[in-house]
Amino acid sequence: VSTQSTGFFKQTNEQVQQGRMNNSLRVCVIGAGIVGLTSAINSLEKGHSVEIFTETISPNTTTDWSGARIKPTEFTEPAERVRVWTNVSLKKYLELLEKENGTSITPAWSKEYYTTPQPDPSWKDAVQSFRRFTPTELAETPGVVDGWTFKSAVVYPTILLNWLLKRFLDLGGRIQLTKVNSFQEISRDKFDIIVNCSGLGARALVGDSKVFPIKGQLVICWAPWIKDCYYYVKEGCEGEPAYIIPRGDGSVVVGGTRDYHNWDRTIDFDKAKIIFNRNAALWPHLIASAPILGHSIGLRPYRDEIRLELEENERSLPIIHNYGHGGSGVTLAWGCAEEVSQILDSFQNNKKKEDNDNDNDNDNDTKK
């Protein structure tokens, strides 16, 4: 493992020993995007000792480029667990909105438009103030025949990540700027368990060919008058949705694209024009005159089913895998972090039982 560290990022021998004395687990989290940081913070708050190994931190993570609208999703499996993760995350974001400053979490109405009739979404009861549009409201957007609105929230990803990073460090967490090429590189002398939040990197690190990128391209505009989120899906064109998401600072992200298996991080300026013009045609009063500030490219770490499970083998430390969130990382992060904590609790209880059994065996051997 090649590392860059500063003094306060390093795990000291005293901290290692303290972790052993209070029976907490020594946890290595791989990745410092929204999924990695929330898993790390939750683990620290449960009393464990945590160090993050990550090749990049904000503003250079996948999370940083995202639109970051907090809403339930229909498109992610396993469906039942996703519903639980979503509900936990929504409650956590509301709690942060009410109690914390500097997170960039901003309340916003989400407005979703469709060109074909839609059934009620499965997450209808998980959000506040859900209602369908009236015919008059639908007529305001060209080609729309169905849609709904509900209370949600947005975040400015880089601001939120920096708030989370500070929270992590304030709780006593440590970071190593490092690339992990193999789980075998993580020392058994320093750690008890790994939490793998490597996102797209899991394809190489785990050897999981089910993980692949969905490229997204965004146009960043200055439009402080936009306070709500707008989302439009045309039947047969699901790979090219139109959406506008405010960031809470006056800027908005205008999207977007869903290019499956595309690893190219190059900005396509012709496509950028198409993205902007598509949104301007739908909502000219909102975006047509907005100045363009820049462009953004990101690779969503997609998997047909999110992997969140414990893997134990003889080749490495036990690993809790937590990756494959696609474009729903911000929405699902806290719920997944809570399940990681539950797995850690179960693992810790089993470890304590094994240690007690070994102590009893040693006592019996001594008596003999």
Side-chain angles (χ1 to χ4, degrees):
V1 180
S2 61
T3 65
Q4 289 181 321
S5 299
T6 57
F8 66 89
F9 282 159
K10 292 181 180 178
Q11 184 179 28
T12 66
N13 289 333
E14 290 80 10
Q15 288 168 321
V16 173
Q17 293 302 323
Q18 182 63 34
R20 289 173 176 165
M21 289 171 59
N22 63 21
N23 291 319
S24 69
L25 294 172
R26 300 165 300 161
V27 181
C28 175
V29 174
I30 300 175
I34 187 74
V35 174
L37 282 173
T38 52
S39 294
I41 289 169
N42 237 32
S43 300
L44 282 167
E45 291 177 341
K46 302 292 185 182
H48 302 299
S49 170
V50 183
E51 185 164 359
I52 292 175
F53 283 19
T54 181
E55 190 174 7
T56 59
I57 59 174
S58 180
N60 298 311
T61 72
T62 298
T63 307
D64 283 281
W65 76 269
S66 64
R69 176 177 61 137
I70 302 167
K71 68 168 290 289
T73 176
E74 295 268 18
F75 306 106
T76 308
E77 295 289 340
E80 289 300 321
R81 292 169 74 194
V82 166
R83 275 192 276 276
V84 173
W85 297 334
T86 299
N87 290 339
V88 171
S89 288
L90 292 177
K91 290 177 183 177
K92 182 66 175 182
Y93 282 118
L94 288 174
E95 177 186 326
L96 291 174
L97 177 62
E98 293 172 0
K99 297 181 179 180
E100 300 289 347
N101 295 318
T103 63
S104 84
I105 302 170
T106 305
W109 284 90
S110 278
K111 301 179 178 183
E112 302 190 352
Y113 303 86
Y114 299 87
T115 60
T116 57
Q118 301 291 313
D120 283 347
S122 61
W123 43 262
K124 172 184 174 182
D125 296 329
V127 297
Q128 296 179 355
S129 304
F130 177 95
R131 70 171 180 83
R132 288 185 174 271
F133 287 129
T134 65
T136 300
E137 290 171 316
L138 291 173
E140 294 173 355
T141 302
V144 166
V145 301
D146 206 351
W148 45 69
T149 183
F150 55 91
K151 287 183 178 179
S152 64
V154 296
V155 302
Y156 195 128
T158 300
I159 294 175
L160 177 61
L161 288 176
N162 280 285
W163 184 89
L164 291 171
L165 181 59
K166 183 179 185 302
R167 172 70 175 159
F168 171 73
L169 294 173
D170 287 347
L171 287 170
R174 300 163 303 280
I175 289 185
Q176 295 252 13
L177 295 179
T178 181
K179 181 177 181 179
V180 178
N181 297 298
S182 168
F183 293 121
Q184 286 76 25
E185 296 173 356
I186 309 300
S187 171
R188 293 176 183 268
D189 294 330
K190 287 186 65 176
F191 298 102
D192 300 304
I193 193 166
I194 299 166
V195 180
N196 173 29
C197 305
S198 57
L200 197 57
R203 184 177 176 93
L205 181 59
V206 182
D208 189 344
S209 61
K210 293 181 179 179
V211 179
F212 63 86
I214 301 178
K215 179 181 177 180
Q217 181 164 325
L218 302 172
V219 180
I220 315 300
C221 296
W222 181 253
W225 54 86
I226 297 178
K227 306 298 183 184
D228 300 327
C229 302
Y230 297 81
Y231 190 85
Y232 168 93
V233 176
K234 184 177 180 180
E235 182 72 15
C237 300
E238 287 79 3
E240 295 184 344
Y243 54 87
I244 304 172
I245 303 173
R247 283 185 159 176
D249 69 336
S251 67
V252 300
V253 297
V254 181
T257 61
R258 294 178 61 85
D259 296 330
Y260 288 72
H261 300 279
N262 190 337
W263 292 84
D264 184 11
R265 295 178 182 270
T266 305
I267 294 172
D268 184 334
F269 289 100
D270 290 334
K271 186 163 287 187
K273 291 180 182 178
I274 294 172
I275 293 169
F276 184 87
N277 291 338
R278 183 192 309 143
N279 282 271
L282 290 166
W283 304 295
H285 61 294
L286 293 174
I287 203 67
S289 63
I292 295 176
L293 302 178
H295 305 270
S296 181
I297 289 287
L299 304 180
R300 305 173 182 93
Y302 185 79
R303 193 175 187 269
D304 57 355
E305 182 170 332
I306 294 170
R307 188 179 186 191
L308 179 42
E309 63 182 356
L310 175 66
E311 177 188 3
E312 296 187 78
N313 60 66
E314 297 180 354
R315 299 187 304 277
S316 71
L317 287 165
I319 306 162
I320 301 174
H321 295 290
N322 184 15
Y323 64 85
H325 300 78
S328 301
V330 172
T331 293
L332 300 177
W334 286 109
C336 290
E338 183 60 32
E339 184 163 327
V340 167
S341 293
Q342 293 169 6
I343 297 173
L344 286 173
D345 288 344
S346 177
F347 178 83
Q348 184 180 26
N349 291 335
N350 291 336
K351 186 172 181 291
K352 286 180 180 178
K353 184 177 183 302
E354 290 176 2
D355 290 344
N356 290 336
D357 290 344
N358 290 334
D359 289 343
N360 292 333
D361 290 341
N362 290 335
D363 290 342
N364 292 334
D365 290 341
T366 301
K367 292 177 182 179
K368 292 178 181 177

